[in-house]
Amino acid sequence: MKISEIQHYQEFKTFVMKVDDDFAKIEYTEKDNCYYLVHSEVPKHLRGKGIGKELVEKTFEYLHLNQIKAIAVCSYIKAVANRSEKLKMLI
């Protein structure tokens, strides 16, 4: 399985990660210089393979590197962030 780095499409308020010939994404809204991560999506045939977790981790790494404040609204993103020792250091 080939997984790309995270891409930020600010005009669409979306983070996208290419997985083979498909895409996983996180959508956000923006208010007061803060990104509210409201939806995550992994194609059905790719679920259960750790893609969602990797997507969340790469998104938070991007946000941290670019000094963008973010709040997880989506229950899945919250759960991954709360379980990950790696992310606890970034959030």
Side-chain angles (χ1 to χ4, degrees):
M1 188 173 337
K2 185 176 179 188
I3 299 174
S4 73
E5 290 303 311
I6 201 85
Q7 298 294 315
H8 182 203
Y9 296 97
Q10 195 166 10
E11 63 275 21
F12 300 112
K13 295 185 174 14
T14 305
F15 291 95
V16 175
M17 186 175 74
K18 187 171 183 189
V19 183
D20 293 333
D21 293 325
D22 221 327
F23 298 91
K25 67 181 178 178
I26 288 179
E27 298 171 348
Y28 65 90
T29 60
E30 187 177 359
K31 183 178 178 187
D32 300 326
N33 296 319
C34 182
Y35 287 8
Y36 292 83
L37 308 177
V38 296
H39 178 73
S40 61
E41 187 174 324
V42 173
K44 286 184 182 181
H45 67 279
L46 293 172
R47 293 180 187 165
K49 300 178 181 183
I51 303 297
K53 179 183 178 205
E54 189 165 347
L55 173 67
V56 172
E57 288 177 347
K58 285 184 174 188
T59 298
F60 274 105
E61 287 170 8
Y62 177 94
L63 293 164
H64 178 74
L65 287 172
N66 290 280
Q67 300 178 339
I68 300 169
K69 183 180 175 189
I71 296 172
V73 177
C74 166
S75 59
Y76 178 77
I77 297 171
K78 278 186 195 180
V80 170
N82 289 334
R83 287 191 306 250
S84 172
E85 291 301 318
K86 181 179 180 181
L87 292 182
K88 285 179 185 174
M89 299 177 76
L90 297 177
I91 301 172

